[in-house]
């Protein structure tokens, strides 16, 4: 599946608009927690989910097959895996926030398997918008003009180097590989 150009433009506009609302520049890092706080929300680890089943909590802390999930919308509560790196957590939380910003329906659960049923198009949109929120095209352009390579750009935006490469590919902006 491929996202169309109008969605990609919209995603860039949303990413820039949120920086503007939060009085950040296009090339400032936007930590996911700051966006979540703007929605009066909270991001917590499984052991801090109020009323969570202790067995489920223990299992979630023990395995690595999940990254983050929206527990509820109002008030907003997102759970994230505490063992993942800062950059990975940012990507995961921004992905979840993208679902909120795009007003995607909550993920349902298959009644027989108990597994989440995700809509592939929504997932692709959330991943794309999440990456724009981390590094808007204009922010990437600014960083490249500073003469920065992938490593510096990743550090500056609190993103992984893979995400910087992805943004370079998506925007067609050439980035030094150092
Ligand atoms: Zn998702």
């Amino acid at each position: 599946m491929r996202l169309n150009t109008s969605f990609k433009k919209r995603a860039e506009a949303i990413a820039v608009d949120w920086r503007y609302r939060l009085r950040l520049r296009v090339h400032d890092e936007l930590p996911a927690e700051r966006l979540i706080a703007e929605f009066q929300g909270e991001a917590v680890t499984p052991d801090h989910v109020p009323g969570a089943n202790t067995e489920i909590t223990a299992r979630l802390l023990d395995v690595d097959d999940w990254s983050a999930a929206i527990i509820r919308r109002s008030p907003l509560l997102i759970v994230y895996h505490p063992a993942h790196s800062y950059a990975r957590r940012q990507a995961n939380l921004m992905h979840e926030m993208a679902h909120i910003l795009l007003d995607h329906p909550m993920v349902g659960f298959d009644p027989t398997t108990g597994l989440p049923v995700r809509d592939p198009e929504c997932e692709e949109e959330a991943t794309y918008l999440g990456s724009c929120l981390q590094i808007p095209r204009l922010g990437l352009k600014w960083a490249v003009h500073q003469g920065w390579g992938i490593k510096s750009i990743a550090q500056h935006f609190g993103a992984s180097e893979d995400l910087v490469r992805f943004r370079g590919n998506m925007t067609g902006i050439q980035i030094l590989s150092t």
Side-chain angles (χ1 to χ4, degrees), residues 68-70 92 95-96 99 104 107 118-119 122-124 126-127:
I70 298 166
N92 294 333
H95 173 101
E96 299 306 331
H99 281 306
H104 285 157
V107 168
R118 296 193 160 92
D119 174 344
C122 286
E123 292 313 312
E124 207 176 330
T127 297

Side-chain angles (χ1 to χ4, degrees), residues 105-117:
M106 285 284 278
V107 168
F109 290 87
D110 185 313
T112 50
T113 63
L115 293 171
V117 184

Side-chain angles (χ1 to χ4, degrees), residues 9-59:
K9 277 189 182 160
R10 187 176 154 218
E12 295 291 352
I14 292 170
V16 169
D17 184 53
W18 273 102
R19 275 175 172 70
Y20 177 75
R21 289 197 212 181
L22 296 169
R23 298 176 186 280
L24 295 170
R25 296 164 298 181
V26 284
H27 55 270
D28 285 335
E29 181 191 356
L30 166 53
E33 291 83 354
R34 186 151 176 203
L35 190 55
I36 293 168
E38 195 62 18
F39 282 72
Q40 278 80 48
E42 224 188 326
V44 296
T45 52
D47 47 326
H48 285 93
V49 173
N53 174 314
T54 46
E55 259 173 59
I56 294 175
T57 303
R59 190 198 159 266

Side-chain angles (χ1 to χ4, degrees), residues 65-106:
D65 60 357
W66 67 284
S67 48
I70 298 166
I71 302 268
R72 55 160 200 254
R73 284 215 166 175
S74 185
L76 178 62
L77 183 65
I78 301 176
V79 65
Y80 65 88
H81 203 303
H84 296 162
S85 69
Y86 176 81
R88 192 167 164 193
R89 185 171 82 234
Q90 289 301 315
N92 294 333
L93 292 177
M94 280 307 202
H95 173 101
E96 299 306 331
M97 282 312 290
H99 281 306
I100 299 284
L101 297 176
L102 295 168
D103 208 16
H104 285 157
M106 285 284 278

